[in-house]
Amino acid sequence: MIVLIIFGLLTLFGWGLGLLESINCVLVVGFAVDFTVHLADSYKESHRHTRFEKTQDALTVTGVSILSGSLSTLLATFPMFFAVITFFMKFGYFMFLTMGLSTMFSLGFMTALLMEVGPVGNAGELSNWYGPWVESAYVSLQEELQRIDADTHAASGGESGEGGGGAPNGNARKTVREGAVPTNRGGEARTTIREGPVETNKSADAGADASAGA
């Protein structure tokens, strides 16, 4: 609405849409919504319950800043009305009108609008639209992570079971078997000792033992 009023005044003053006017019109769009956005944000951040109380909080927190910022800008742009350079003169008119209208609409019309139809609770939040989708995606992600964890634990448990057949603590299991084996061709008694994965055969010559004992 502020932009429409400025464009109407632009036509009323008889100014064409030249380069200077185009630059000023771009600036007007940003300055026109500045005060109302800050006021609406303060209204939304209020922890009160009713529209009237939330509007009071918004005016208490942001209203003073809006009024002081507007007055400082109006005082700074007023001397530009008497500038000789056309650009500065037109820029002063644009800024003065924009700040004045923005202050009037934010502290007047916007305040009355918030008191009558301002959002209360979760009304008007975008999360009401995309919230269920985000929640569903989060639940699916958690279930997938739990399934991956279960598969990982199952795989690690199987590896532990296979490793359990071996000796604990990583020590090689030693099995010693000692027994008499049928004599070989030389008539020597052969004793077999198995230790770990290595198999060792020890042969003792009975004749040699008897000679050594003599």
Side-chain angles (χ1 to χ4, degrees), residues 50-83:
T50 63
R51 294 187 178 95
F52 184 79
E53 292 175 345
K54 292 170 74 71
T55 305
Q56 279 185 328
D57 283 350
L59 291 175
T60 303
V61 175
T62 312
V64 178
S65 300
I66 291 175
L67 190 60
S68 60
S70 174
L71 289 177
S72 62
T73 305
L74 292 176
L75 292 176
T77 55
F78 179 75
M80 300 178 73
F81 290 171
F82 310 101

PDB file of all heavy atoms in Angstrom, residues 50-83:
ATOM      1  N   THR A  50      -3.192 -13.352  24.718  1.00  0.00           N
ATOM      2  CA  THR A  50      -4.216 -12.666  23.933  1.00  0.00           C
ATOM      3  C   THR A  50      -3.570 -11.740  22.911  1.00  0.00           C
ATOM      4  O   THR A  50      -2.399 -11.351  23.025  1.00  0.00           O
ATOM      5  CB  THR A  50      -5.138 -11.863  24.855  1.00  0.00           C
ATOM      6  OG1 THR A  50      -4.369 -10.839  25.519  1.00  0.00           O
ATOM      7  CG2 THR A  50      -5.760 -12.768  25.908  1.00  0.00           C
ATOM      8  N   ARG A  51      -4.354 -11.371  21.892  1.00  0.00           N
ATOM      9  CA  ARG A  51      -3.850 -10.478  20.842  1.00  0.00           C
ATOM     10  C   ARG A  51      -3.509  -9.099  21.406  1.00  0.00           C
ATOM     11  O   ARG A  51      -2.501  -8.496  21.003  1.00  0.00           O
ATOM     12  CB  ARG A  51      -4.896 -10.351  19.736  1.00  0.00           C
ATOM     13  CG  ARG A  51      -5.170 -11.629  18.969  1.00  0.00           C
ATOM     14  CD  ARG A  51      -6.087 -11.346  17.783  1.00  0.00           C
ATOM     15  NE  ARG A  51      -6.334 -12.536  17.001  1.00  0.00           N
ATOM     16  CZ  ARG A  51      -7.397 -13.324  17.151  1.00  0.00           C
ATOM     17  NH1 ARG A  51      -8.320 -13.009  18.081  1.00  0.00           N
ATOM     18  NH2 ARG A  51      -7.563 -14.383  16.391  1.00  0.00           N
ATOM     19  N   PHE A  52      -4.336  -8.605  22.292  1.00  0.00           N
ATOM     20  CA  PHE A  52      -4.102  -7.275  22.857  1.00  0.00           C
ATOM     21  C   PHE A  52      -2.799  -7.241  23.645  1.00  0.00           C
ATOM     22  O   PHE A  52      -2.001  -6.296  23.512  1.00  0.00           O
ATOM     23  CB  PHE A  52      -5.291  -6.880  23.749  1.00  0.00           C
ATOM     24  CG  PHE A  52      -5.187  -5.495  24.304  1.00  0.00           C
ATOM     25  CD1 PHE A  52      -5.506  -4.394  23.526  1.00  0.00           C
ATOM     26  CD2 PHE A  52      -4.771  -5.287  25.614  1.00  0.00           C
ATOM     27  CE1 PHE A  52      -5.400  -3.103  24.050  1.00  0.00           C
ATOM     28  CE2 PHE A  52      -4.666  -4.014  26.135  1.00  0.00           C
ATOM     29  CZ  PHE A  52      -4.982  -2.912  25.359  1.00  0.00           C
ATOM     30  N   GLU A  53      -2.563  -8.258  24.463  1.00  0.00           N
ATOM     31  CA  GLU A  53      -1.337  -8.306  25.261  1.00  0.00           C
ATOM     32  C   GLU A  53      -0.101  -8.485  24.382  1.00  0.00           C
ATOM     33  O   GLU A  53       0.946  -7.866  24.636  1.00  0.00           O
ATOM     34  CB  GLU A  53      -1.431  -9.438  26.278  1.00  0.00           C
ATOM     35  CG  GLU A  53      -2.470  -9.215  27.365  1.00  0.00           C
ATOM     36  CD  GLU A  53      -2.612 -10.414  28.273  1.00  0.00           C
ATOM     37  OE1 GLU A  53      -2.123 -11.505  27.888  1.00  0.00           O
ATOM     38  OE2 GLU A  53      -3.203 -10.277  29.367  1.00  0.00           O
ATOM     39  N   LYS A  54      -0.208  -9.300  23.346  1.00  0.00           N
ATOM     40  CA  LYS A  54       0.925  -9.492  22.438  1.00  0.00           C
ATOM     41  C   LYS A  54       1.240  -8.208  21.677  1.00  0.00           C
ATOM     42  O   LYS A  54       2.406  -7.878  21.431  1.00  0.00           O
ATOM     43  CB  LYS A  54       0.627 -10.642  21.470  1.00  0.00           C
ATOM     44  CG  LYS A  54       0.568 -12.006  22.141  1.00  0.00           C
ATOM     45  CD  LYS A  54       0.040 -13.076  21.209  1.00  0.00           C
ATOM     46  CE  LYS A  54       1.080 -13.461  20.171  1.00  0.00           C
ATOM     47  NZ  LYS A  54       2.198 -14.212  20.774  1.00  0.00           N
ATOM     48  N   THR A  55       0.207  -7.463  21.315  1.00  0.00           N
ATOM     49  CA  THR A  55       0.422  -6.183  20.637  1.00  0.00           C
ATOM     50  C   THR A  55       1.073  -5.175  21.570  1.00  0.00           C
ATOM     51  O   THR A  55       1.945  -4.387  21.155  1.00  0.00           O
ATOM     52  CB  THR A  55      -0.908  -5.638  20.102  1.00  0.00           C
ATOM     53  OG1 THR A  55      -1.531  -6.613  19.265  1.00  0.00           O
ATOM     54  CG2 THR A  55      -0.686  -4.372  19.291  1.00  0.00           C
ATOM     55  N   GLN A  56       0.648  -5.176  22.833  1.00  0.00           N
ATOM     56  CA  GLN A  56       1.289  -4.299  23.814  1.00  0.00           C
ATOM     57  C   GLN A  56       2.783  -4.616  23.947  1.00  0.00           C
ATOM     58  O   GLN A  56       3.615  -3.700  23.999  1.00  0.00           O
ATOM     59  CB  GLN A  56       0.600  -4.444  25.170  1.00  0.00           C
ATOM     60  CG  GLN A  56      -0.683  -3.665  25.323  1.00  0.00           C
ATOM     61  CD  GLN A  56      -1.245  -3.751  26.727  1.00  0.00           C
ATOM     62  OE1 GLN A  56      -1.078  -4.768  27.416  1.00  0.00           O
ATOM     63  NE2 GLN A  56      -1.928  -2.703  27.162  1.00  0.00           N
ATOM     64  N   ASP A  57       3.120  -5.891  24.013  1.00  0.00           N
ATOM     65  CA  ASP A  57       4.537  -6.269  24.094  1.00  0.00           C
ATOM     66  C   ASP A  57       5.305  -5.813  22.864  1.00  0.00           C
ATOM     67  O   ASP A  57       6.434  -5.328  22.954  1.00  0.00           O
ATOM     68  CB  ASP A  57       4.658  -7.788  24.245  1.00  0.00           C
ATOM     69  CG  ASP A  57       4.345  -8.249  25.655  1.00  0.00           C
ATOM     70  OD1 ASP A  57       4.232  -7.385  26.544  1.00  0.00           O
ATOM     71  OD2 ASP A  57       4.211  -9.470  25.869  1.00  0.00           O
ATOM     72  N   ALA A  58       4.693  -5.965  21.696  1.00  0.00           N
ATOM     73  CA  ALA A  58       5.367  -5.562  20.456  1.00  0.00           C
ATOM     74  C   ALA A  58       5.628  -4.058  20.424  1.00  0.00           C
ATOM     75  O   ALA A  58       6.711  -3.602  20.042  1.00  0.00           O
ATOM     76  CB  ALA A  58       4.526  -5.974  19.256  1.00  0.00           C
ATOM     77  N   LEU A  59       4.650  -3.283  20.865  1.00  0.00           N
ATOM     78  CA  LEU A  59       4.836  -1.828  20.898  1.00  0.00           C
ATOM     79  C   LEU A  59       5.848  -1.419  21.953  1.00  0.00           C
ATOM     80  O   LEU A  59       6.603  -0.459  21.766  1.00  0.00           O
ATOM     81  CB  LEU A  59       3.494  -1.137  21.154  1.00  0.00           C
ATOM     82  CG  LEU A  59       2.467  -1.212  20.019  1.00  0.00           C
ATOM     83  CD1 LEU A  59       1.150  -0.592  20.455  1.00  0.00           C
ATOM     84  CD2 LEU A  59       3.000  -0.530  18.762  1.00  0.00           C
ATOM     85  N   THR A  60       5.870  -2.132  23.075  1.00  0.00           N
ATOM     86  CA  THR A  60       6.833  -1.802  24.128  1.00  0.00           C
ATOM     87  C   THR A  60       8.256  -2.103  23.691  1.00  0.00           C
ATOM     88  O   THR A  60       9.182  -1.319  23.950  1.00  0.00           O
ATOM     89  CB  THR A  60       6.507  -2.589  25.409  1.00  0.00           C
ATOM     90  OG1 THR A  60       5.161  -2.287  25.813  1.00  0.00           O
ATOM     91  CG2 THR A  60       7.463  -2.238  26.522  1.00  0.00           C
ATOM     92  N   VAL A  61       8.436  -3.236  23.027  1.00  0.00           N
ATOM     93  CA  VAL A  61       9.789  -3.660  22.637  1.00  0.00           C
ATOM     94  C   VAL A  61      10.274  -2.930  21.387  1.00  0.00           C
ATOM     95  O   VAL A  61      11.407  -2.440  21.328  1.00  0.00           O
ATOM     96  CB  VAL A  61       9.815  -5.187  22.421  1.00  0.00           C
ATOM     97  CG1 VAL A  61      11.177  -5.622  21.886  1.00  0.00           C
ATOM     98  CG2 VAL A  61       9.507  -5.909  23.717  1.00  0.00           C
ATOM     99  N   THR A  62       9.410  -2.849  20.368  1.00  0.00           N
ATOM    100  CA  THR A  62       9.836  -2.340  19.059  1.00  0.00           C
ATOM    101  C   THR A  62       9.292  -0.958  18.744  1.00  0.00           C
ATOM    102  O   THR A  62       9.873  -0.239  17.925  1.00  0.00           O
ATOM    103  CB  THR A  62       9.399  -3.326  17.956  1.00  0.00           C
ATOM    104  OG1 THR A  62       9.764  -4.648  18.335  1.00  0.00           O
ATOM    105  CG2 THR A  62      10.058  -3.004  16.631  1.00  0.00           C
ATOM    106  N   GLY A  63       8.185  -0.577  19.365  1.00  0.00           N
ATOM    107  CA  GLY A  63       7.568   0.699  19.013  1.00  0.00           C
ATOM    108  C   GLY A  63       8.478   1.891  19.232  1.00  0.00           C
ATOM    109  O   GLY A  63       8.537   2.813  18.394  1.00  0.00           O
ATOM    110  N   VAL A  64       9.221   1.897  20.326  1.00  0.00           N
ATOM    111  CA  VAL A  64      10.137   3.013  20.606  1.00  0.00           C
ATOM    112  C   VAL A  64      11.244   3.086  19.565  1.00  0.00           C
ATOM    113  O   VAL A  64      11.615   4.178  19.076  1.00  0.00           O
ATOM    114  CB  VAL A  64      10.716   2.871  22.023  1.00  0.00           C
ATOM    115  CG1 VAL A  64      11.697   3.996  22.314  1.00  0.00           C
ATOM    116  CG2 VAL A  64       9.602   2.857  23.061  1.00  0.00           C
ATOM    117  N   SER A  65      11.773   1.929  19.184  1.00  0.00           N
ATOM    118  CA  SER A  65      12.832   1.902  18.164  1.00  0.00           C
ATOM    119  C   SER A  65      12.309   2.375  16.814  1.00  0.00           C
ATOM    120  O   SER A  65      13.001   3.102  16.085  1.00  0.00           O
ATOM    121  CB  SER A  65      13.387   0.476  18.042  1.00  0.00           C
ATOM    122  OG  SER A  65      13.922   0.036  19.270  1.00  0.00           O
ATOM    123  N   ILE A  66      11.104   1.980  16.471  1.00  0.00           N
ATOM    124  CA  ILE A  66      10.510   2.431  15.203  1.00  0.00           C
ATOM    125  C   ILE A  66      10.322   3.947  15.204  1.00  0.00           C
ATOM    126  O   ILE A  66      10.656   4.634  14.231  1.00  0.00           O
ATOM    127  CB  ILE A  66       9.158   1.716  14.974  1.00  0.00           C
ATOM    128  CG1 ILE A  66       9.391   0.240  14.684  1.00  0.00           C
ATOM    129  CG2 ILE A  66       8.385   2.367  13.845  1.00  0.00           C
ATOM    130  CD1 ILE A  66       8.107  -0.563  14.569  1.00  0.00           C
ATOM    131  N   LEU A  67       9.815   4.470  16.291  1.00  0.00           N
ATOM    132  CA  LEU A  67       9.556   5.907  16.359  1.00  0.00           C
ATOM    133  C   LEU A  67      10.844   6.723  16.328  1.00  0.00           C
ATOM    134  O   LEU A  67      10.952   7.725  15.597  1.00  0.00           O
ATOM    135  CB  LEU A  67       8.763   6.220  17.625  1.00  0.00           C
ATOM    136  CG  LEU A  67       8.193   7.629  17.752  1.00  0.00           C
ATOM    137  CD1 LEU A  67       7.241   7.916  16.593  1.00  0.00           C
ATOM    138  CD2 LEU A  67       7.487   7.806  19.090  1.00  0.00           C
ATOM    139  N   SER A  68      11.839   6.273  17.065  1.00  0.00           N
ATOM    140  CA  SER A  68      13.108   7.017  17.079  1.00  0.00           C
ATOM    141  C   SER A  68      13.821   6.930  15.739  1.00  0.00           C
ATOM    142  O   SER A  68      14.384   7.926  15.251  1.00  0.00           O
ATOM    143  CB  SER A  68      14.010   6.477  18.196  1.00  0.00           C
ATOM    144  OG  SER A  68      14.299   5.101  17.988  1.00  0.00           O
ATOM    145  N   GLY A  69      13.806   5.754  15.117  1.00  0.00           N
ATOM    146  CA  GLY A  69      14.446   5.625  13.803  1.00  0.00           C
ATOM    147  C   GLY A  69      13.747   6.449  12.746  1.00  0.00           C
ATOM    148  O   GLY A  69      14.394   7.049  11.873  1.00  0.00           O
ATOM    149  N   SER A  70      12.428   6.503  12.818  1.00  0.00           N
ATOM    150  CA  SER A  70      11.685   7.293  11.846  1.00  0.00           C
ATOM    151  C   SER A  70      11.947   8.792  12.013  1.00  0.00           C
ATOM    152  O   SER A  70      12.162   9.519  11.030  1.00  0.00           O
ATOM    153  CB  SER A  70      10.194   7.006  12.005  1.00  0.00           C
ATOM    154  OG  SER A  70       9.428   7.840  11.171  1.00  0.00           O
ATOM    155  N   LEU A  71      11.943   9.257  13.252  1.00  0.00           N
ATOM    156  CA  LEU A  71      12.189  10.689  13.481  1.00  0.00           C
ATOM    157  C   LEU A  71      13.575  11.113  13.031  1.00  0.00           C
ATOM    158  O   LEU A  71      13.745  12.195  12.434  1.00  0.00           O
ATOM    159  CB  LEU A  71      11.987  11.007  14.964  1.00  0.00           C
ATOM    160  CG  LEU A  71      10.542  10.970  15.478  1.00  0.00           C
ATOM    161  CD1 LEU A  71      10.502  11.226  16.987  1.00  0.00           C
ATOM    162  CD2 LEU A  71       9.687  11.995  14.742  1.00  0.00           C
ATOM    163  N   SER A  72      14.569  10.277  13.304  1.00  0.00           N
ATOM    164  CA  SER A  72      15.937  10.625  12.878  1.00  0.00           C
ATOM    165  C   SER A  72      16.046  10.687  11.359  1.00  0.00           C
ATOM    166  O   SER A  72      16.708  11.571  10.801  1.00  0.00           O
ATOM    167  CB  SER A  72      16.932   9.615  13.453  1.00  0.00           C
ATOM    168  OG  SER A  72      16.671   8.313  12.959  1.00  0.00           O
ATOM    169  N   THR A  73      15.377   9.763  10.658  1.00  0.00           N
ATOM    170  CA  THR A  73      15.422   9.775   9.190  1.00  0.00           C
ATOM    171  C   THR A  73      14.667  10.975   8.628  1.00  0.00           C
ATOM    172  O   THR A  73      15.107  11.601   7.652  1.00  0.00           O
ATOM    173  CB  THR A  73      14.827   8.469   8.643  1.00  0.00           C
ATOM    174  OG1 THR A  73      15.508   7.354   9.223  1.00  0.00           O
ATOM    175  CG2 THR A  73      14.969   8.404   7.135  1.00  0.00           C
ATOM    176  N   LEU A  74      13.535  11.303   9.222  1.00  0.00           N
ATOM    177  CA  LEU A  74      12.771  12.462   8.749  1.00  0.00           C
ATOM    178  C   LEU A  74      13.556  13.762   8.929  1.00  0.00           C
ATOM    179  O   LEU A  74      13.568  14.633   8.037  1.00  0.00           O
ATOM    180  CB  LEU A  74      11.445  12.544   9.501  1.00  0.00           C
ATOM    181  CG  LEU A  74      10.423  11.432   9.218  1.00  0.00           C
ATOM    182  CD1 LEU A  74       9.208  11.595  10.118  1.00  0.00           C
ATOM    183  CD2 LEU A  74      10.021  11.437   7.757  1.00  0.00           C
ATOM    184  N   LEU A  75      14.224  13.879  10.055  1.00  0.00           N
ATOM    185  CA  LEU A  75      15.023  15.090  10.285  1.00  0.00           C
ATOM    186  C   LEU A  75      16.216  15.161   9.349  1.00  0.00           C
ATOM    187  O   LEU A  75      16.647  16.257   8.947  1.00  0.00           O
ATOM    188  CB  LEU A  75      15.489  15.133  11.747  1.00  0.00           C
ATOM    189  CG  LEU A  75      14.391  15.352  12.790  1.00  0.00           C
ATOM    190  CD1 LEU A  75      14.976  15.262  14.200  1.00  0.00           C
ATOM    191  CD2 LEU A  75      13.696  16.706  12.577  1.00  0.00           C
ATOM    192  N   ALA A  76      16.770  14.010   8.997  1.00  0.00           N
ATOM    193  CA  ALA A  76      17.943  14.004   8.113  1.00  0.00           C
ATOM    194  C   ALA A  76      17.571  14.298   6.663  1.00  0.00           C
ATOM    195  O   ALA A  76      18.370  14.882   5.923  1.00  0.00           O
ATOM    196  CB  ALA A  76      18.647  12.642   8.209  1.00  0.00           C
ATOM    197  N   THR A  77      16.379  13.897   6.248  1.00  0.00           N
ATOM    198  CA  THR A  77      15.991  14.092   4.846  1.00  0.00           C
ATOM    199  C   THR A  77      15.252  15.417   4.602  1.00  0.00           C
ATOM    200  O   THR A  77      15.142  15.843   3.447  1.00  0.00           O
ATOM    201  CB  THR A  77      15.082  12.930   4.396  1.00  0.00           C
ATOM    202  OG1 THR A  77      13.960  12.834   5.290  1.00  0.00           O
ATOM    203  CG2 THR A  77      15.837  11.622   4.397  1.00  0.00           C
ATOM    204  N   PHE A  78      14.775  16.052   5.634  1.00  0.00           N
ATOM    205  CA  PHE A  78      14.040  17.296   5.430  1.00  0.00           C
ATOM    206  C   PHE A  78      14.892  18.388   4.768  1.00  0.00           C
ATOM    207  O   PHE A  78      14.402  19.087   3.861  1.00  0.00           O
ATOM    208  CB  PHE A  78      13.477  17.797   6.767  1.00  0.00           C
ATOM    209  CG  PHE A  78      12.732  19.099   6.652  1.00  0.00           C
ATOM    210  CD1 PHE A  78      11.464  19.136   6.091  1.00  0.00           C
ATOM    211  CD2 PHE A  78      13.294  20.289   7.100  1.00  0.00           C
ATOM    212  CE1 PHE A  78      10.773  20.345   5.984  1.00  0.00           C
ATOM    213  CE2 PHE A  78      12.612  21.480   6.994  1.00  0.00           C
ATOM    214  CZ  PHE A  78      11.347  21.509   6.437  1.00  0.00           C
ATOM    215  N   PRO A  79      16.131  18.609   5.169  1.00  0.00           N
ATOM    216  CA  PRO A  79      16.921  19.644   4.485  1.00  0.00           C
ATOM    217  C   PRO A  79      17.165  19.366   3.011  1.00  0.00           C
ATOM    218  O   PRO A  79      17.487  20.303   2.250  1.00  0.00           O
ATOM    219  CB  PRO A  79      18.256  19.637   5.260  1.00  0.00           C
ATOM    220  CG  PRO A  79      17.922  19.067   6.590  1.00  0.00           C
ATOM    221  CD  PRO A  79      16.871  18.049   6.323  1.00  0.00           C
ATOM    222  N   MET A  80      16.982  18.107   2.573  1.00  0.00           N
ATOM    223  CA  MET A  80      17.213  17.788   1.161  1.00  0.00           C
ATOM    224  C   MET A  80      16.108  18.328   0.269  1.00  0.00           C
ATOM    225  O   MET A  80      16.244  18.352  -0.960  1.00  0.00           O
ATOM    226  CB  MET A  80      17.330  16.266   0.984  1.00  0.00           C
ATOM    227  CG  MET A  80      18.473  15.651   1.775  1.00  0.00           C
ATOM    228  SD  MET A  80      18.575  13.859   1.599  1.00  0.00           S
ATOM    229  CE  MET A  80      19.193  13.726  -0.063  1.00  0.00           C
ATOM    230  N   PHE A  81      15.011  18.791   0.866  1.00  0.00           N
ATOM    231  CA  PHE A  81      13.961  19.411   0.059  1.00  0.00           C
ATOM    232  C   PHE A  81      14.471  20.652  -0.670  1.00  0.00           C
ATOM    233  O   PHE A  81      13.973  21.004  -1.744  1.00  0.00           O
ATOM    234  CB  PHE A  81      12.772  19.813   0.939  1.00  0.00           C
ATOM    235  CG  PHE A  81      11.983  18.652   1.475  1.00  0.00           C
ATOM    236  CD1 PHE A  81      11.000  18.876   2.421  1.00  0.00           C
ATOM    237  CD2 PHE A  81      12.217  17.350   1.050  1.00  0.00           C
ATOM    238  CE1 PHE A  81      10.245  17.824   2.924  1.00  0.00           C
ATOM    239  CE2 PHE A  81      11.478  16.294   1.549  1.00  0.00           C
ATOM    240  CZ  PHE A  81      10.495  16.530   2.486  1.00  0.00           C
ATOM    241  N   PHE A  82      15.445  21.318  -0.081  1.00  0.00           N
ATOM    242  CA  PHE A  82      15.928  22.594  -0.621  1.00  0.00           C
ATOM    243  C   PHE A  82      17.228  22.422  -1.408  1.00  0.00           C
ATOM    244  O   PHE A  82      17.917  23.421  -1.681  1.00  0.00           O
ATOM    245  CB  PHE A  82      16.150  23.580   0.537  1.00  0.00           C
ATOM    246  CG  PHE A  82      14.969  23.664   1.470  1.00  0.00           C
ATOM    247  CD1 PHE A  82      14.989  22.983   2.689  1.00  0.00           C
ATOM    248  CD2 PHE A  82      13.842  24.401   1.133  1.00  0.00           C
ATOM    249  CE1 PHE A  82      13.917  23.058   3.559  1.00  0.00           C
ATOM    250  CE2 PHE A  82      12.763  24.476   2.006  1.00  0.00           C
ATOM    251  CZ  PHE A  82      12.794  23.799   3.218  1.00  0.00           C
ATOM    252  N   ALA A  83      17.553  21.183  -1.753  1.00  0.00           N
ATOM    253  CA  ALA A  83      18.792  20.935  -2.495  1.00  0.00           C
ATOM    254  C   ALA A  83      18.662  21.456  -3.916  1.00  0.00           C
ATOM    255  O   ALA A  83      17.580  21.458  -4.528  1.00  0.00           O
ATOM    256  CB  ALA A  83      19.106  19.435  -2.516  1.00  0.00           C
TER     257      ALA A  83
END
